[in-house]
Every structure is written in C-alpha cells, then in structure tokens.
Amino acid sequence: MQDSRIDLNSAAGLALKNGDYGPGALIAICGFDGSGKTTQLTALAEHFTAYGHEVLTTRQPTTDYRNEPVVRQFLDDGGSADRARVLAVMAAADRHKHVHNVILPALRQGKIVLCDRYLFSSLVYFEARGVAPGFVAQINQGIPKPDLSVFLDVPAETVMARLKRRDGDKLKYEERDVSKIADMLNRFRSMTGHLSMIAGDAPPEQVTQAILARFETTEFAQEQRRTAPALDA
Ligand SMILES: Nc1ncnc2c1ncn2[C@@H]1O[C@H](COP(=O)(O)OP(=O)(O)OP(=O)(O)O)[C@@H](O)[C@H]1O
Ligand SMILES: Cc1cn([C@H]2C[C@H](O)[C@@H](COP(=O)(O)O)O2)c(=O)[nH]c1=O
C-alpha cells in the first residue's frame, strides 16, 4: 500500500482537490509548533474583519484528535512508526470530518476560513515519524486545496527558545530535540510546490504584511478587486 517513492510535494498534489467550494476563501497557516501560527491567525482575523469579511478561525487536528489518550501519549513520549501510522489514520479521519462539518459550510457562507495547520503539517509530521507520504496522501484524498497555504519559516533554535519561554518544561517529545525540529523544518521547506514560504522570525506585524501580500496574489483576492464597487463611483 505504501509508496516510498512519492515525495511530499507529489503527495500533497495527489491528496488535494481543486474545486468550487463556494464564495469564501481558505487560508492554511502551517509551521512547526511555536512558529507563530496562533499570533498570525489572530492578526489576520482582525485584518479581514476590519475589511468587512466574516471570518472563521479553526484548527487541524481538532481537539477530538488531540484529546485521544493514544495521541496524547505519542505527542508527549514519541512512539514507533507503526503507532504513527495509526495516528495518521486518526488524523485523516479527523480532517475529513472537520472539512465536511466546519470548513465547507463556512466557505459556502462566504467566510474567510483561517486554518491553523492543514494536510501539509500531517504530511511533514508523519513522514518524520516514519510514515510514507504516499500513504498519508491516500487516506487524505479529496481534501480541498486552500486558496493560500503558508509556511512560517523560523530557525529551529528560535522555535526552541520561543517554546521554552512559552511552555517551560512542558515540551512535547518532538519539541525537546532541536535536530528533530530542524528535520521537520527542512521537510516543510521542500514543499515549494504548495506552500508560500514566509520568514516567520521578523516582527509579528511584518510577518502579517508578508502573508497579506501573498494573499493579494490569489484568485480570490483578484476576483474581489474586480467585483468590488469603485470608491469614486
Ligand atoms: N514574530 C514573532 N517574533 C517573536 N516572537 C513571536 C513571534 N510570533 C509569535 N511569537 C511568540 O512565540 C510564541 C509562540 O507563538 P504562537 O503561540 O503564535 O505559535 P504557534 O505556532 O501557534 O504555536 P503552537 O503550535 O505550539 O500552538 C508565543 O509566545 C508568541 O508570543
Ligand atoms: C497536522 C498534525 C499535527 N500533529 C501534531 C503536531 C503537533 O505536535 C500537535 C498539535 O499541537 P498543537 O500545538 O496543539 O497545535 O499534533 C499530529 O499529530 N497530526 C497531524 O495530523
């Protein structure tokens, strides 16, 4: 079943589905833990709300997945590739449910959906845990392709320092080892076909502006400009 020849970019291409999901827009913000995703989601939500959009901020995996004892134990203590494969299936089921119950209805209502982590994070984390991207792609098939997918690129040492400052000694298994963080970051950096790479170690306001500049290049933003009434009309 698993195809170790499929790389992360191809796996994302196989899983994601282009489609007309409604008048809304989907923005996925990915990065290692502590890279500033929550900070940026909050700033983006404020920006889009100020411009009159309805915004839904949400996250993958959902708390249903995070609260499973088998997941909690793996995140805290690590585990085998076989156990990781079970988690990948649980994360995929959680994602399909979240897409159908939360994301698609919001897109149909015209909302801007801001999602903390998405398929890309699953591909990266599970490949690093020993699960082939081809397998993760198969079980995530049909997940909507976001209008914009961002990777917040922050050096491993900076990520580690931020996490220690925020969480003290309550770090997850993969957060405790700077070489594991660096390995995951390199996997994200390889996904140039899908992720807009944003330097996440700049001041938060600059990071937000960089994300918004990328958003302006999306078809959604271009369509909004075409259909928006001229201010001097
Ligand atoms: N651009 C930035 N420069 C300096 N510090 C930042 C920046 N962005 C966020 N931080 C700080 O880094 C820490 C982690 O940020 P945040 O909680 O937004 O990351 P996260 O990616 O959502 O983390 P997690 O996935 O672990 O929840 C916080 O203490 C936050 O204040
Ligand atoms: C997408 C995805 C992520 N994970 C991991 C990654 C993180 O270590 C945790 C979630 O941490 P957060 O700070 O609460 O966001 O889960 C995963 O195990 N499976 C996935 O599909």
Side-chain angles (χ1 to χ4, degrees), residues 8 12 16 28-33 35 37 59-61 65-66 88 91 95 115-129 131 136 140 146 149-152 174 184 187-188 191 194-195:
L8 289 169
L16 293 173
I29 306 287
C30 296
F32 192 75
D33 316 26
S35 56
K37 300 182 303 298
R59 69 196 315 212
Q60 290 184 0
Y65 169 88
R66 284 165 217 259
R95 177 167 298 106
C115 193
D116 185 339
R117 303 186 194 273
Y118 202 63
L119 168 75
F120 311 101
S121 294
S122 243
L123 285 166
V124 165
Y125 278 81
F126 286 114
E127 187 188 46
R129 295 165 179 168
V131 184
V136 178
N140 280 280
S149 304
V150 164
F151 167 56
L152 295 180
E174 285 146 342
M184 296 238 195
R187 292 176 201 272
F188 275 114
M191 299 186 76
H194 293 275
L195 295 174

Side-chain angles (χ1 to χ4, degrees), residues 160-177:
M160 176 74 110
R162 283 188 194 173
L163 287 170
K164 280 189 177 158
R165 209 164 33 239
R166 192 191 64 185
D167 300 337
D169 57 4
K170 290 198 204 73
L171 297 185
K172 299 191 197 90
Y173 175 74
E174 285 146 342
E175 296 173 348
R176 287 181 223 133
D177 182 344

Side-chain angles (χ1 to χ4, degrees), residues 4-213:
S4 54
R5 291 167 303 174
I6 295 178
D7 65 18
L8 289 169
N9 269 307
S10 313
L14 285 173
L16 293 173
K17 192 171 166 201
N18 269 312
D20 180 2
Y21 297 109
L26 173 60
I27 304 178
I29 306 287
C30 296
F32 192 75
D33 316 26
S35 56
K37 300 182 303 298
T38 310
T39 306
Q40 291 308 317
L41 288 159
T42 306
L44 291 170
E46 277 171 16
H47 170 89
F48 288 122
T49 304
Y51 276 80
H53 292 283
E54 270 201 85
V55 174
L56 172 77
T57 303
T58 187
R59 69 196 315 212
Q60 290 184 0
T62 71
T63 46
D64 291 351
Y65 169 88
R66 284 165 217 259
N67 290 342
E68 283 291 338
V70 65
V71 173
R72 275 269 53 95
Q73 192 193 355
F74 191 99
L75 293 179
D76 289 340
D77 305 328
S80 67
D82 283 345
R83 179 52 60 90
R85 202 169 299 114
V86 173
L87 258 61
V89 173
M90 291 169 68
D94 182 67
R95 177 167 298 106
H96 283 292
K97 199 167 119 188
H98 181 248
V99 161
H100 284 278
N101 294 346
V102 177
I103 293 184
L104 290 178
L107 293 176
R108 283 188 215 109
Q109 289 163 13
K111 292 183 182 165
I112 295 194
V113 180
L114 303 171
C115 193
D116 185 339
R117 303 186 194 273
Y118 202 63
L119 168 75
F120 311 101
S121 294
S122 243
L123 285 166
V124 165
Y125 278 81
F126 286 114
E127 187 188 46
R129 295 165 179 168
V131 184
F135 175 71
V136 178
Q138 274 182 357
I139 58 180
N140 280 280
Q141 206 123 44
I143 294 296
K145 185 177 162 86
D147 295 84
L148 177 68
S149 304
V150 164
F151 167 56
L152 295 180
D153 195 348
V154 180
E157 293 73 17
T158 310
V159 164
M160 176 74 110
R162 283 188 194 173
L163 287 170
K164 280 189 177 158
R165 209 164 33 239
R166 192 191 64 185
D167 300 337
D169 57 4
K170 290 198 204 73
L171 297 185
K172 299 191 197 90
Y173 175 74
E174 285 146 342
E175 296 173 348
R176 287 181 223 133
D177 182 344
V178 77
S179 67
K180 281 196 171 54
I181 300 177
D183 172 69
M184 296 238 195
L185 293 175
N186 283 332
R187 292 176 201 272
F188 275 114
R189 288 175 189 135
S190 76
M191 299 186 76
T192 47
H194 293 275
L195 295 174
S196 281
M197 307 289 165
I198 301 281
D201 53 349
E205 305 74 31
Q206 270 183 39
V207 180
T208 310
Q209 288 311 315
I211 298 172
L212 289 172

